[in-house]
Amino acid sequence: MTSHISHTSVDCRDAYALSRFWGAVLGYDGMPGEPDEPGDEECLLVSPDGAIRLLFIEVPESKSTKNRVHLDLEPVDGTREEEIERLLGLGATLLADRRRPDGGWATLADPEGNEFCVLRTRAEREATGGL
Amino acid sequence: MTSHISHTSVDCRDAYALSRFWGAVLGYDGMPGEPDEPGDEECLLVSPDGAIRLLFIEVPESKSTKNRVHLDLEPVDGTREEEIERLLGLGATLLADRRRPDGGWATLADPEGNEFCVLRTRAEREATGGL
């Protein structure tokens, strides 16, 4: 017996706004035929192939400490630097910069302060090895 | 431009022990040819199809509050009740029971207190509709 991951849930203050941010980051959309709307307390994003789902759920309590679970992203197109500029333009903030020419990562926060990291692109990794 | 999720990171006290628990929950294993060992401060699990990766990273700080990001699981085989019994046997604890015959979920914690939910199996959902 095993379980599979149905979805990853993210507690938040504004489910619609945060789902819009992450939808733009990952290229995910809502469930076909079930569009989320401003004010919805639960908003679901689905990856284009349907395999990965993120559920944003409004909760009364605020974020109070660094999240113990976070997403690590690999830019699909362009360069890591271009992708980080795009994410900052979408409303992310830079928390910590551990980028090196041959690796490392940048730690960003989404508009509600949830930490996430941006690694190098696959092409960048294959050019030098390492993470 | 978009990013894809390279992996989900989980801060922890004992990366090896926690990765063994989640490996048994999900049927994931370490990277082929790169087995993790007790004492490793970072342990990586990969789904059988290679699409999903979980990285357990030891950190100095303890868990202090409810996680704002958590996994929701769907049992693949058997029934929800059988799977919850299996997970409790692996070292999970039951935090909240919101199961109903026609839906709902149980909230469990992993051995380090990280919350996760167990939904119904796909067959159970399809029998009655709903989540």
Side-chain angles (χ1 to χ4, degrees), chain B residues 70-86:
Chain B
H70 72 260
L71 301 180
D72 290 271
L73 307 184
E74 180 184 275
V76 174
D77 320 297
T79 67
R80 176 174 59 180
E81 313 318 323
E82 290 169 346
E83 178 64 352
I84 289 173
E85 285 305 310
R86 187 182 75 93

Side-chain angles (χ1 to χ4, degrees), chain B residues 16 19-20 22-24 27-37 42-48 50 52-54 56:
Chain B
Y16 183 77
S19 73
R20 289 312 91 177
W22 281 100
Y28 292 8
D29 212 337
M31 288 286 277
E34 298 179 33
D36 293 313
E37 296 176 5
E42 297 193 2
C43 293
L44 183 68
L45 289 180
V46 185
S47 63
I52 299 175
R53 302 192 299 172
L54 298 178
F56 298 86

Side-chain angles (χ1 to χ4, degrees), chain A residues 3 6 9 11 68 72 83, chain B residues 3 6 9 11 68 72 83:
Chain A
S3 281
S6 164
S9 291
D11 290 354
R68 281 180 87 78
D72 290 272
E83 178 64 352
Chain B
S3 281
S6 164
S9 291
D11 291 353
R68 281 180 86 78
D72 290 271
E83 178 64 352

Side-chain angles (χ1 to χ4, degrees), chain A residues 14-56:
Chain A
D14 185 334
Y16 184 77
L18 199 60
S19 73
R20 292 308 94 178
F21 170 83
W22 280 100
V25 170
L26 297 169
Y28 291 9
D29 212 337
M31 287 286 278
E34 300 179 34
D36 293 312
E37 295 177 5
D40 286 351
E41 294 179 2
E42 297 193 4
C43 294
L44 184 69
L45 289 180
V46 185
S47 63
D49 64 1
I52 298 175
R53 304 191 299 172
L54 298 178
L55 180 64
F56 298 86

Side-chain angles (χ1 to χ4, degrees), chain B residues 53-101:
Chain B
R53 302 192 299 172
L54 298 178
L55 180 64
F56 298 86
I57 307 177
E58 295 185 5
V59 297
E61 66 272 17
S62 300
K63 183 173 188 292
S64 61
T65 186
K66 178 190 159 208
N67 289 350
R68 281 180 86 78
V69 178
H70 72 260
L71 301 180
D72 290 271
L73 307 184
E74 180 184 275
V76 174
D77 320 297
T79 67
R80 176 174 59 180
E81 313 318 323
E82 290 169 346
E83 178 64 352
I84 289 173
E85 285 305 310
R86 187 182 75 93
L87 300 178
L88 295 173
L90 290 174
T93 52
L94 181 66
L95 293 182
D97 193 346
R98 298 197 176 88
R99 283 176 280 183
R100 302 184 311 271

